[in-house]
Amino acid sequence: MEPHPLDVVVVGGCGHVGLPLALSLADCGYKVGIDDIDGVKIEQVRAGSVPFLENGAEELLKRLLPTGRLELASNPRLLERTQTVVLVIGTPIDEFLNPVRKVVQDCIDALLPHLSDGQLLVLRSTVFPGTTDWLDGYLKRNNRDLKVAFCPERMVQGHGIKELKETPQIISGTTAAAEEEAAKLFSGIAPELVVVTPREAELAKLFNNAYRYIEFATANQFYLIAKAAGVDYRRVSDAMKRNYPRARGIPSPGLAAGPCLMKDTAQLAAFAQNQFSLGNAAMLVNEGLVLHLCDDLRRRYDLSRMTVGLLGMAFKAEIDDTRASLSYKFKKALASLAGAVLTTDPFVTTDPELLALDEVIARSDLLILCAPHAVYRDLDFAGKPVVDVWGFLKNANVIS
Ligand SMILES: NC(=O)c1ccc[n+]([C@@H]2O[C@H](COP(=O)([O-])OP(=O)(O)OC[C@H]3O[C@@H](n4cnc5c(N)ncnc54)[C@H](O)[C@@H]3O)[C@@H](O)[C@H]2O)c1
């Protein structure tokens, strides 16, 4: 018997972006194929379990599996049964902070035998500007005639299922037909479509992320200036923001990290031939915050005689993802300064060195809030000194 056709196949469909998208597409009625090279994650998802923290995803997955609208395989042959392919693989930067275009090319090379003329191929990863046109040309040079679109993902990690329904979807295509078909695909899940050219869409996505990263850097630099002046930044922040709408958007200071913001700022800097001074300054401020705090602690304490506890190893609050988490930069920097460094996180499951929160509090002389998970908010940490850049803790003995 011929296997049934699929409305869409998501390549990288077990990833942080791919899975919420695949589930959302299936939820609005599409028959969705999930192709992912990670066979372990495929098995996990097939068994009804989401491999990372994503609000609402597991309930949705459990509801969708019995409908038969989801098909999972670690096999690009799934692509042979659809007219629509969405690509959401990771797009890293290298040791020179430059994008690794080869990742996209290698993936396309592996998919080529399974792609066919007339298919819609939607690029959804965050890419270096020009990648969409390059992909279109690359397929043509390989004698393939596909409709190529770029429709970037802009969800906040951990809230993809909700945000996909609420966020306008940027649509672009290398031809009118590609644009039209991509718009049709996303009209089922997005509340609004914003149609632009591929180059505009690529820049819009990178500008969105770089702007957010610069906002965090601004708050971090304000914090450092206030701190150097011996002023409590929490009081300054309250004075700036309370009932003053123009300051409402200033974020709190804190460790600004994760797999996207710095990477995408670096991609934009590379695209701008390093003439992105604000972006480069933001990287220095955000990445430098950890070393600044370590230096400050080194001056105030004899760290070599102390045990330091790090609270929250995920890259941000309420998730389990440690990719590019600055908590680990802290851990590394403190390893050569402190007597011992202990780490804890209520969500992270991938780090065998993590200890229980109670043990970290009991054994530490000094604590540092790295990820402001809600569970920490009201604790007093047995009166021990705590570094809280975020201004997040309610009852702790905060020392900065
Ligand atoms: N994480 C976010 O919040 C977020 C938000 C917006 C955009 N993005 C962008 O989306 C893209 C994906 O990010 P992510 O966080 O989901 O990454 P991820 O690593 O969580 O997911 C990528 C998935 O692709 C799979 N994969 C890699 N190569 C493959 C191949 N050749 N065939 C099939 N599967 C393959 C991996 O196994 C993995 O499951 C990146 O470009 C990222 O910048 C991420």
Side-chain angles (χ1 to χ4, degrees), residues 10-20 34-39 41-42 51-52 54 73-76 79 87-92 103-104 106-108 110-111 124-127 152-160 205-206 209 258-261 263-264 267 315-316 319 321 323:
V10 180
V11 178
C14 286
H16 291 83
V17 166
L19 189 54
I34 291 180
D35 169 38
D36 201 295
I37 39 166
D38 188 332
K41 279 200 263 178
I42 287 281
F52 44 83
E54 177 63 41
S74 197
N75 187 345
L79 275 61
L87 198 65
V88 259
I89 59 164
T91 45
V103 170
V104 180
D106 287 350
C107 177
I108 291 296
L111 300 181
R124 193 161 176 78
S125 305
T126 306
V127 296
E153 175 64 73
R154 295 190 294 166
M155 67 170 219
V156 165
Q157 198 170 315
H159 301 277
K205 170 63 199 179
L206 289 181
N209 274 8
C260 287
L261 296 188
K263 171 199 63 127
D264 293 341
Q267 293 209 72
F315 80 79
K316 66 172 185 173
I319 61 166
D321 192 349
R323 290 180 297 169

Side-chain angles (χ1 to χ4, degrees), residues 112-128:
L112 264 180
H114 311 284
L115 292 171
S116 53
D117 289 355
Q119 277 177 326
L120 172 70
L121 178 58
V122 180
L123 198 53
R124 193 161 176 78
S125 305
T126 306
V127 296
F128 187 73

Side-chain angles (χ1 to χ4, degrees), residues 130-395:
T131 303
T132 313
D133 283 337
W134 168 85
L135 177 59
D136 191 68
Y138 189 72
L139 290 167
K140 287 195 172 88
R141 287 195 295 285
N142 281 277
N143 301 316
R144 295 308 173 88
D145 182 17
L146 280 87
K147 298 174 200 124
V148 176
F150 174 64
C151 304
E153 175 64 73
R154 295 190 294 166
M155 67 170 219
V156 165
Q157 198 170 315
H159 301 277
I161 304 281
K162 182 169 170 283
E163 292 214 343
L164 277 166
K165 289 198 188 90
E166 296 170 352
T167 310
Q169 175 62 52
I170 296 175
I171 302 285
S172 72
T174 55
T175 60
E179 185 184 286
E180 202 175 303
E181 284 192 25
K184 198 164 154 228
L185 174 70
F186 285 102
S187 61
I189 50 173
E192 184 184 348
L193 305 180
V194 185
V195 182
V196 290
T197 67
R199 189 60 67 100
E200 288 163 350
E202 290 165 343
L203 284 178
K205 170 63 199 179
L206 289 181
F207 286 170
N208 272 149
N209 274 8
Y211 185 73
R212 190 74 182 131
Y213 192 65
I214 291 166
E215 282 187 318
F216 288 134
T218 305
N220 284 337
Q221 191 143 54
F222 287 168
Y223 166 82
L224 290 173
I225 291 170
K227 190 162 172 293
V231 172
D232 182 349
Y233 183 72
R234 275 173 299 190
R235 291 175 57 80
V236 182
S237 173
D238 181 49
M240 281 194 294
K241 291 165 79 168
R242 200 190 304 171
N243 294 329
Y244 188 64
R246 282 186 290 285
R248 199 181 288 139
I250 301 175
S252 71
L255 304 189
C260 287
L261 296 188
M262 190 194 125
K263 171 199 63 127
D264 293 341
T265 305
Q267 293 209 72
L268 194 52
F271 176 68
Q273 308 293 332
N274 254 5
Q275 301 305 306
F276 183 27
S277 46
L278 269 178
N280 286 323
M283 289 187 231
L284 286 177
V285 173
N286 288 334
E287 289 285 310
L289 181 65
V290 167
L291 297 182
H292 179 95
L293 292 170
C294 281
D295 194 47
D296 184 55
L297 290 172
R298 189 179 57 78
R299 288 170 202 276
R300 291 163 71 166
Y301 296 98
D302 181 1
L303 289 176
S304 66
R305 301 163 76 89
M306 296 173 81
T307 295
V308 181
L310 301 184
L311 306 165
M313 301 306 285
F315 80 79
K316 66 172 185 173
E318 314 305 321
I319 61 166
D320 56 356
D321 192 349
T322 59
R323 290 180 297 169
S325 167
L326 283 176
S327 309
Y328 286 88
K329 184 166 179 164
F330 240 133
K331 183 180 178 189
K332 193 173 164 191
L334 285 166
S336 57
L337 296 173
V341 184
L342 309 178
T343 54
T344 183
D345 191 293
F347 299 109
V348 174
T349 55
T350 48
D351 180 350
E353 294 189 2
L354 296 187
L355 301 171
L357 175 62
D358 287 354
E359 184 179 348
V360 170
I361 296 174
R363 287 175 53 195
S364 296
D365 304 302
L366 172 69
L367 293 148
I368 301 174
L369 180 68
C370 293
H373 296 313
V375 68
Y376 301 140
R377 187 185 277 272
D378 296 316
L379 300 181
D380 67 8
F381 301 100
K384 293 183 178 180
V386 187
V387 175
D388 172 18
V389 176
W390 312 84
F392 176 77
L393 303 172
K394 293 281 178 235
N395 303 313

Side-chain angles (χ1 to χ4, degrees), residues 52-113:
F52 44 83
L53 260 182
E54 177 63 41
N55 282 298
E58 200 144 297
E59 295 87 316
L60 187 53
L61 174 64
K62 290 207 162 81
R63 185 154 61 71
L64 287 168
L65 282 171
T67 67
R69 293 206 296 275
L70 279 178
E71 188 170 333
L72 293 111
S74 197
N75 187 345
R77 289 198 64 181
L78 273 187
L79 275 61
E80 296 168 13
R81 290 164 45 202
T82 188
Q83 278 303 304
T84 304
V85 177
V86 182
L87 198 65
V88 259
I89 59 164
T91 45
I93 49 173
D94 63 16
E95 68 272 40
F96 310 111
L97 304 184
N98 290 324
V100 192
R101 180 177 281 172
K102 199 171 173 324
V103 170
V104 180
Q105 182 169 339
D106 287 350
C107 177
I108 291 296
D109 285 344
L111 300 181
L112 264 180

